[in-house]
Amino acid sequence: MKLNVVPARMGAVWVRLSLQAFFRRPLATVWVCFSSLMPVVLIASALPAVLGGVLISILLPAITLGLMIATAQIVRPGKPTPAAQAFITALQALRTSVKPLAILGGGYVVTTFVIVSLPAVLDGGTVMRMFLLGQLPASLEVTRGVRYLAALGLTLFLWLLNLLVFGYAAALAHWCNMLPAKSVFFGFMACIRNIKALTVYGLLWLGVNLVLSAILFMLISVIMTALPGSAGGGRSPLIGVLMLADALVFCSMFFSSIWFTFRDSFSAT
């Protein structure tokens, strides 16, 4: 497996390819993402915040690999692969890599804890408590502070790199039979060598998320206006559905894009 160094503009290409794949087959993309993430999220939500976060973190490298495999099936040229078939193919592939994926999951938990804890030197631990314990900032004034915003931005950027490192590691362990430590090393080197492209990639996904959030806010405003006061008893379910749809659309597009970053960052020798 050869590591490719790509120009910064590839970050925009990866986002564009993901958006094109989503709009070409939106239902298939969302269905695969929903089927992969929702069972884990439901189980984690029934646990204490810390345990739920640990469960999701342990399984995230495997989930990322599964979504990469499914995306590769969905976007390949020729006759479209049914979403259910792509999902089953991904599950079957994951069964062959249980041990390395379990080891990578443990490593991801440790590195995620370190990443979330590091920015505490900037904001006194507000972002760390939000991610680890689910505690919201004490006031809106805190969220407008430079230290909080710097800590949040650093945490999100390092989290993205960490997700890609272990996503690549899971793919290398599965497709190239690399040992977990070696696959993490090559995943880390891929992110470092292509940091410019990944920075563009991360910033564009932040922009996409802001656009989706703005659309969500407008739809919620319409619902609040159309169902005012006592007549708005049905507002909460509608708003809940919209928020879930927004999260699913973004997650579907984002996780499918990881396949494109991996495909262009590595090539067979």
Side-chain angles (χ1 to χ4, degrees), residues 106-245:
Y108 183 77
V109 170
V110 174
T111 54
T112 299
F113 179 79
V114 172
I115 285 171
V116 172
S117 302
L118 280 177
V121 300
L122 296 176
D123 70 339
T126 302
V127 171
M128 179 183 70
R129 289 189 293 272
M130 183 175 66
F131 276 91
L132 295 181
L133 303 176
Q135 294 182 2
L136 297 176
S139 64
L140 287 176
E141 287 71 20
V142 173
T143 63
R144 296 168 183 161
V146 175
R147 289 181 176 273
Y148 171 83
L149 294 175
L152 180 61
L154 178 61
T155 300
L156 292 176
F157 181 71
L158 292 177
W159 176 85
L160 173 61
L161 290 181
N162 192 46
L163 174 66
L164 292 175
V165 166
F166 279 87
Y168 292 168
L172 292 170
H174 172 69
W175 278 308
C176 303
N177 294 317
M178 284 190 186
L179 295 175
K182 184 177 180 181
S183 66
V184 170
F185 172 76
F186 278 100
F188 176 76
M189 291 305 300
C191 289
I192 294 300
R193 297 291 298 276
N194 291 318
I195 191 66
K196 293 181 180 179
L198 291 176
T199 299
V200 173
Y201 169 80
L203 290 174
L204 287 176
W205 276 123
L206 176 61
V208 171
N209 190 35
L210 290 175
V211 170
L212 289 176
S213 298
I215 295 173
L216 176 64
F217 178 78
M218 288 189 292
L219 291 175
I220 290 176
S221 298
V222 170
I223 291 174
M224 297 290 284
T225 303
L227 299 173
S230 59
R235 291 186 304 192
S236 295
L238 286 174
I239 292 173
V241 169
L242 287 175
M243 293 178 68
L244 176 61

Side-chain angles (χ1 to χ4, degrees), residues 5-178:
V5 179
V6 301
R9 61 180 176 81
M10 285 303 297
V13 173
W14 293 331
V15 175
R16 175 174 57 80
L17 289 173
S18 176
L19 295 177
Q20 288 176 343
F22 174 80
F23 287 110
R24 188 178 299 120
R25 299 193 63 193
L27 293 180
T29 309
V30 170
W31 188 89
V32 168
C33 184
F34 179 85
S35 301
S36 302
L37 292 175
M38 194 52 61
V40 178
V41 171
L42 290 176
I43 295 173
S45 64
L47 300 173
V50 175
L51 292 180
V54 169
L55 174 65
I56 292 175
S57 296
I58 289 176
L59 295 177
L60 200 52
I63 292 172
T64 304
L65 173 60
L67 289 171
M68 291 170 66
I69 294 171
T71 300
Q73 294 283 317
I74 290 173
V75 303
R76 69 180 182 181
K79 184 179 179 181
T81 302
Q85 182 180 333
F87 181 70
I88 293 172
T89 300
L91 286 180
Q92 292 173 338
L94 293 179
R95 291 176 56 188
T96 65
S97 306
V98 173
K99 184 176 179 179
L101 289 175
I103 295 173
L104 290 172
Y108 183 77
V109 170
V110 174
T111 54
T112 299
F113 179 79
V114 172
I115 285 171
V116 172
S117 302
L118 280 177
V121 300
L122 296 176
D123 70 339
T126 302
V127 171
M128 179 183 70
R129 289 189 293 272
M130 183 175 66
F131 276 91
L132 295 181
L133 303 176
Q135 294 182 2
L136 297 176
S139 64
L140 287 176
E141 287 71 20
V142 173
T143 63
R144 296 168 183 161
V146 175
R147 289 181 176 273
Y148 171 83
L149 294 175
L152 180 61
L154 178 61
T155 300
L156 292 176
F157 181 71
L158 292 177
W159 176 85
L160 173 61
L161 290 181
N162 192 46
L163 174 66
L164 292 175
V165 166
F166 279 87
Y168 292 168
L172 292 170
H174 172 69
W175 278 308
C176 303
N177 294 317
M178 284 190 186

